[in-house]
Amino acid sequence: MTYITYSHQHLQLKSIARLKQIYSEIGCTVEVSDKRCKDAWITAIANYQTSKIQKIAPDEQALAQAELDHFIADQAQAIAPELLRIVEISFDHHEYYAGNQLVASISHDDDLTQPWVVMVEGKEKFRANTYARCHRFIQWHHQDSTLSEPLPIQTQTPPTTENRIMAHIFNECQNYGFEILNDGIYHNGVKLGQVGCTDGNWWVILSCSGQQQYSNSVYDAMRSLSMVDVSCDSKSIFDEYFLEQPLEQLTGDKLQRLLEKAELVTP
């Protein structure tokens, strides 16, 4: 392919003597209309160079496009991450492999709000309330090759004191058959009150008084809620939940609470 060597602007800067020299160097065969005129030499040189420009034939253009497409595809394949292979170890434990290399895993723990955990190289990378969110997290970061990069501290979600407090309250509510809602603890649709912990000090607010009272432990706080009278026959939640069970079905802890309440009378 022959390209234009001199532009029109470039030729305008040349003298007639230099234009004659260029005319000879490129082998120009276009006749100069007026050899005394600079513009005539420029026109002859420009016309000659234009005539030598070869256009790419359609088949050559198609071949060049095919080569370009193939090159782009090769580059995309070279930088694209390998597809992940998921191995189910158990219902709550899945491992993600790129080839034979373990790149991440998803497991489940006892956190009440975000029990699904993404682990990368033995370190917790991400937490969520569903397996699907952890799965998407791994896919996204694997595609942009950032799965192994350290996350900013503020984005990590390790177990917090608040989570542990909620776990204690939840477990005790299970023991008593209570239900935790956003605004407090309920039994059979009736609000009993609230239980919490501030600066390591447990407290309880009974719905009947609305006053916050300090307790020695979460067990004492929940026991206070169990004494709340919410029925017409003045039978407490403790009476309703524990005394309706046969004694042989009561655990040692529940039996101890029953004795403390002095509900069991011996002759």
Side-chain angles (χ1 to χ4, degrees):
M1 181 182 297
T2 303
Y3 296 94
I4 298 177
T5 305
Y6 301 98
S7 67
H8 192 275
Q9 291 180 340
H10 191 192
L11 293 173
Q12 286 285 352
L13 301 176
K14 307 299 181 181
S15 64
I16 291 181
R18 177 57 182 149
L19 290 174
K20 291 180 179 180
Q21 185 179 1
I22 293 174
Y23 184 92
S24 299
E25 289 175 353
I26 64 175
C28 183
T29 57
V30 177
E31 184 179 356
V32 180
S33 59
D34 186 352
K35 295 183 179 181
R36 296 170 298 176
C37 178
K38 180 178 179 179
D39 287 341
W41 287 98
I42 292 175
T43 300
I45 294 172
N47 290 341
Y48 175 78
Q49 291 183 133
T50 301
S51 67
K52 292 298 181 180
I53 297 176
Q54 299 177 0
K55 295 184 179 180
I56 301 177
D59 56 339
E60 293 178 344
Q61 186 173 4
L63 178 60
Q65 184 63 45
E67 291 177 351
L68 177 61
D69 292 342
H70 188 267
F71 174 78
I72 293 174
D74 287 345
Q75 292 299 309
Q77 182 65 28
I79 63 176
E82 188 173 0
L83 293 178
L84 291 176
R85 176 171 55 90
I86 304 174
V87 177
E88 182 177 352
I89 306 301
S90 63
F91 170 76
D92 56 358
H93 186 189
H94 295 74
E95 294 182 345
Y96 287 69
Y97 289 84
N100 294 323
Q101 181 182 2
L102 175 65
V103 296
S105 66
I106 298 177
S107 57
H108 188 280
D109 61 19
D110 58 358
D111 188 277
L112 294 179
T113 57
Q114 295 179 317
W116 293 98
V117 187
V118 174
M119 301 292 292
V120 177
E121 297 177 352
K123 297 180 180 179
E124 181 178 317
K125 194 75 170 180
F126 178 72
R127 274 186 177 267
N129 59 340
T130 64
Y131 170 86
R133 290 185 177 179
C134 290
H135 174 75
R136 288 195 295 269
F137 176 88
I138 293 176
Q139 284 189 320
W140 291 338
H141 287 278
H142 177 66
Q143 288 175 359
D144 58 15
S145 302
T146 59
L147 193 57
S148 298
E149 292 183 1
L151 291 174
I153 295 177
Q154 61 269 25
T155 63
Q156 297 177 353
T157 55
T160 62
T161 301
E162 182 179 355
N163 287 339
R164 289 193 290 269
I165 292 172
M166 289 301 300
H168 285 308
I169 296 175
F170 177 82
N171 290 336
E172 284 303 301
C173 283
Q174 290 289 97
N175 291 334
Y176 282 95
F178 296 162
E179 180 182 12
I180 301 179
L181 299 180
N182 291 335
D183 62 338
I185 298 173
Y186 285 73
H187 182 71
N188 291 337
V190 178
K191 182 177 181 179
L192 304 179
Q194 296 174 280
V195 171
C197 184
T198 304
D199 297 329
N201 298 313
W202 286 94
W203 50 263
V204 60
I205 300 177
L206 303 180
S207 59
C208 56
S209 66
Q211 299 296 320
Q212 179 173 303
Q213 305 172 15
Y214 285 99
S215 298
N216 293 327
S217 65
V218 63
Y219 310 108
D220 290 340
M222 296 300 296
R223 187 180 296 114
S224 297
L225 286 186
S226 72
M227 307 300 180
V228 174
D229 184 5
V230 295
S231 59
C232 298
D233 58 1
S234 299
K235 185 166 63 173
S236 69
I237 298 298
F238 188 94
D239 301 331
E240 180 179 348
Y241 186 68
F242 285 104
L243 295 184
E244 290 182 357
Q245 300 183 69
L247 288 178
E248 60 270 16
Q249 293 183 7
L250 294 178
T251 64
D253 182 57
K254 292 179 180 178
L255 189 58
Q256 178 63 33
R257 295 176 191 175
L258 186 61
L259 292 173
E260 292 175 358
K261 185 67 169 58
E263 296 285 355
L264 184 61
V265 179
T266 56

